[in-house]
Short mmCIF file of all heavy atoms in Angstrom, two decimals:
data_model
loop_
_atom_site.label_atom_id
_atom_site.label_comp_id
_atom_site.label_asym_id
_atom_site.label_seq_id
_atom_site.Cartn_x
_atom_site.Cartn_y
_atom_site.Cartn_z
N SER M 218 7.20 -50.40 24.90
CA SER M 218 8.57 -50.86 25.07
C SER M 218 9.23 -50.16 26.24
O SER M 218 9.88 -50.78 27.08
CB SER M 218 9.36 -50.59 23.78
OG SER M 218 10.72 -50.90 23.95
N GLU M 219 9.03 -48.83 26.33
CA GLU M 219 9.61 -48.08 27.44
C GLU M 219 8.98 -48.49 28.76
O GLU M 219 9.65 -48.59 29.79
CB GLU M 219 9.41 -46.57 27.20
CG GLU M 219 10.23 -46.01 26.06
CD GLU M 219 11.73 -46.19 26.28
OE1 GLU M 219 12.19 -45.92 27.42
OE2 GLU M 219 12.42 -46.62 25.35
N SER M 220 7.66 -48.73 28.73
CA SER M 220 6.97 -49.14 29.96
C SER M 220 7.50 -50.48 30.43
O SER M 220 7.68 -50.71 31.63
CB SER M 220 5.46 -49.22 29.72
OG SER M 220 4.96 -47.96 29.33
N PHE M 221 7.76 -51.40 29.48
CA PHE M 221 8.24 -52.74 29.84
C PHE M 221 9.62 -52.63 30.50
O PHE M 221 9.90 -53.27 31.51
CB PHE M 221 8.32 -53.62 28.59
CG PHE M 221 8.85 -55.00 28.85
CD1 PHE M 221 8.04 -55.97 29.43
CD2 PHE M 221 10.16 -55.31 28.55
CE1 PHE M 221 8.54 -57.24 29.68
CE2 PHE M 221 10.66 -56.57 28.81
CZ PHE M 221 9.85 -57.54 29.38
N LYS M 222 10.46 -51.77 29.90
CA LYS M 222 11.80 -51.63 30.45
C LYS M 222 11.77 -51.07 31.86
O LYS M 222 12.57 -51.42 32.73
CB LYS M 222 12.65 -50.71 29.55
CG LYS M 222 13.02 -51.34 28.22
CD LYS M 222 13.78 -50.34 27.38
CE LYS M 222 14.12 -50.92 26.01
NZ LYS M 222 14.83 -49.94 25.15
N SER M 223 10.85 -50.14 32.12
CA SER M 223 10.79 -49.50 33.42
C SER M 223 9.93 -50.26 34.41
O SER M 223 9.88 -49.90 35.59
CB SER M 223 10.23 -48.07 33.27
OG SER M 223 8.89 -48.14 32.83
N GLY M 224 9.24 -51.29 33.92
CA GLY M 224 8.38 -52.07 34.81
C GLY M 224 7.04 -51.43 35.05
O GLY M 224 6.27 -51.89 35.90
N GLU M 225 6.73 -50.35 34.32
CA GLU M 225 5.46 -49.67 34.53
C GLU M 225 4.42 -50.23 33.56
O GLU M 225 4.74 -50.67 32.47
CB GLU M 225 5.61 -48.16 34.28
CG GLU M 225 6.56 -47.49 35.25
CD GLU M 225 6.75 -46.03 34.91
OE1 GLU M 225 6.09 -45.56 33.96
OE2 GLU M 225 7.53 -45.35 35.58
N SER M 226 3.17 -50.17 33.95
CA SER M 226 2.10 -50.58 33.05
C SER M 226 1.87 -49.51 32.01
O SER M 226 2.09 -48.32 32.26
CB SER M 226 0.82 -50.85 33.84
OG SER M 226 0.41 -49.67 34.50
N PHE M 227 1.43 -49.88 30.81
CA PHE M 227 1.19 -48.93 29.73
C PHE M 227 0.00 -48.03 30.04
O PHE M 227 -1.02 -48.48 30.55
CB PHE M 227 0.93 -49.69 28.43
CG PHE M 227 0.41 -48.79 27.34
CD1 PHE M 227 1.24 -47.87 26.74
CD2 PHE M 227 -0.92 -48.83 26.97
CE1 PHE M 227 0.77 -47.04 25.75
CE2 PHE M 227 -1.40 -48.00 25.98
CZ PHE M 227 -0.56 -47.11 25.38
N LYS M 228 0.18 -46.75 29.76
CA LYS M 228 -0.91 -45.78 29.93
C LYS M 228 -1.16 -45.09 28.59
O LYS M 228 -0.22 -44.69 27.92
CB LYS M 228 -0.55 -44.72 30.99
CG LYS M 228 -0.36 -45.31 32.39
CD LYS M 228 0.01 -44.22 33.37
CE LYS M 228 0.23 -44.78 34.77
NZ LYS M 228 0.62 -43.74 35.74
N SER M 229 -2.43 -44.98 28.25
CA SER M 229 -2.78 -44.31 27.00
C SER M 229 -2.31 -42.86 27.02
O SER M 229 -2.36 -42.20 28.06
CB SER M 229 -4.30 -44.35 26.80
OG SER M 229 -4.65 -43.64 25.64
N ASP M 230 -1.83 -42.37 25.90
CA ASP M 230 -1.29 -41.01 25.83
C ASP M 230 -1.76 -40.37 24.54
O ASP M 230 -1.56 -40.91 23.46
CB ASP M 230 0.24 -41.06 25.86
CG ASP M 230 0.86 -39.70 26.12
OD1 ASP M 230 0.32 -38.71 25.59
OD2 ASP M 230 1.86 -39.64 26.83
N GLU M 231 -2.38 -39.19 24.64
CA GLU M 231 -2.90 -38.50 23.46
C GLU M 231 -1.83 -37.69 22.74
O GLU M 231 -2.09 -37.10 21.70
CB GLU M 231 -4.05 -37.57 23.87
CG GLU M 231 -5.32 -38.28 24.27
CD GLU M 231 -5.93 -39.04 23.11
OE1 GLU M 231 -6.08 -38.45 22.03
OE2 GLU M 231 -6.20 -40.23 23.26
N SER M 232 -0.62 -37.63 23.29
CA SER M 232 0.38 -36.74 22.71
C SER M 232 0.87 -37.20 21.35
O SER M 232 1.59 -36.48 20.67
CB SER M 232 1.57 -36.58 23.65
OG SER M 232 2.19 -37.83 23.87
N PHE M 233 0.48 -38.42 20.90
CA PHE M 233 0.88 -38.82 19.56
C PHE M 233 0.30 -37.89 18.51
O PHE M 233 0.77 -37.83 17.39
CB PHE M 233 0.45 -40.26 19.26
CG PHE M 233 -1.04 -40.45 19.10
CD1 PHE M 233 -1.64 -40.18 17.89
CD2 PHE M 233 -1.83 -40.86 20.16
CE1 PHE M 233 -3.01 -40.34 17.73
CE2 PHE M 233 -3.19 -41.01 20.00
CZ PHE M 233 -3.78 -40.76 18.79
N LYS M 234 -0.73 -37.13 18.89
CA LYS M 234 -1.34 -36.21 17.92
C LYS M 234 -0.34 -35.18 17.41
O LYS M 234 -0.49 -34.64 16.33
CB LYS M 234 -2.54 -35.50 18.54
CG LYS M 234 -3.77 -36.39 18.71
CD LYS M 234 -4.94 -35.59 19.22
CE LYS M 234 -6.19 -36.44 19.34
NZ LYS M 234 -7.35 -35.67 19.80
N SER M 235 0.67 -34.88 18.23
CA SER M 235 1.65 -33.89 17.79
C SER M 235 2.54 -34.42 16.68
O SER M 235 3.11 -33.66 15.92
CB SER M 235 2.54 -33.46 18.96
OG SER M 235 3.43 -34.50 19.31
N GLY M 236 2.66 -35.75 16.60
CA GLY M 236 3.45 -36.35 15.53
C GLY M 236 4.94 -36.23 15.69
O GLY M 236 5.70 -36.82 14.94
N GLU M 237 5.42 -35.49 16.69
CA GLU M 237 6.84 -35.20 16.78
C GLU M 237 7.67 -36.43 17.17
O GLU M 237 8.80 -36.57 16.74
CB GLU M 237 7.08 -34.08 17.79
CG GLU M 237 6.50 -32.74 17.33
CD GLU M 237 6.68 -31.67 18.38
OE1 GLU M 237 5.86 -31.59 19.30
OE2 GLU M 237 7.66 -30.93 18.27
N SER M 238 7.11 -37.28 18.00
CA SER M 238 7.89 -38.41 18.48
C SER M 238 8.03 -39.51 17.43
O SER M 238 8.79 -40.44 17.61
CB SER M 238 7.24 -38.99 19.73
OG SER M 238 5.93 -39.42 19.43
N ILE M 239 7.31 -39.40 16.34
CA ILE M 239 7.36 -40.42 15.31
C ILE M 239 8.49 -40.13 14.33
O ILE M 239 9.30 -40.98 14.03
CB ILE M 239 6.02 -40.51 14.56
CG1 ILE M 239 4.90 -40.79 15.55
CG2 ILE M 239 6.06 -41.57 13.48
CD1 ILE M 239 5.08 -42.06 16.35
N ASN M 240 8.50 -38.93 13.83
CA ASN M 240 9.47 -38.59 12.79
C ASN M 240 9.70 -37.09 12.84
O ASN M 240 8.94 -36.33 12.29
CB ASN M 240 8.94 -39.02 11.42
CG ASN M 240 9.96 -38.79 10.32
OD1 ASN M 240 10.98 -38.15 10.54
ND2 ASN M 240 9.69 -39.33 9.15
N SER M 241 10.76 -36.68 13.50
CA SER M 241 10.95 -35.26 13.76
C SER M 241 11.13 -34.45 12.48
O SER M 241 10.83 -33.27 12.45
CB SER M 241 12.17 -35.05 14.67
OG SER M 241 13.33 -35.55 14.04
N CYS M 242 11.59 -35.09 11.41
CA CYS M 242 11.79 -34.32 10.18
C CYS M 242 10.47 -34.12 9.44
O CYS M 242 10.40 -33.37 8.48
CB CYS M 242 12.81 -35.00 9.28
SG CYS M 242 12.25 -36.56 8.59
N ASP M 243 9.44 -34.83 9.86
CA ASP M 243 8.13 -34.67 9.24
C ASP M 243 7.08 -34.46 10.31
O ASP M 243 5.99 -35.01 10.25
CB ASP M 243 7.80 -35.90 8.39
CG ASP M 243 6.57 -35.66 7.50
OD1 ASP M 243 6.32 -34.51 7.13
OD2 ASP M 243 5.87 -36.64 7.22
#
Side-chain angles (χ1 to χ4, degrees):
S218 175
E219 291 299 315
S220 299
F221 178 78
K222 289 177 183 178
S223 65
E225 297 176 3
S226 61
F227 169 72
K228 296 179 181 179
S229 176
D230 194 322
E231 289 295 310
S232 61
F233 71 83
K234 287 185 177 181
S235 72
E237 294 177 277
S238 60
I239 303 301
N240 185 350
S241 60
C242 68
D243 191 28

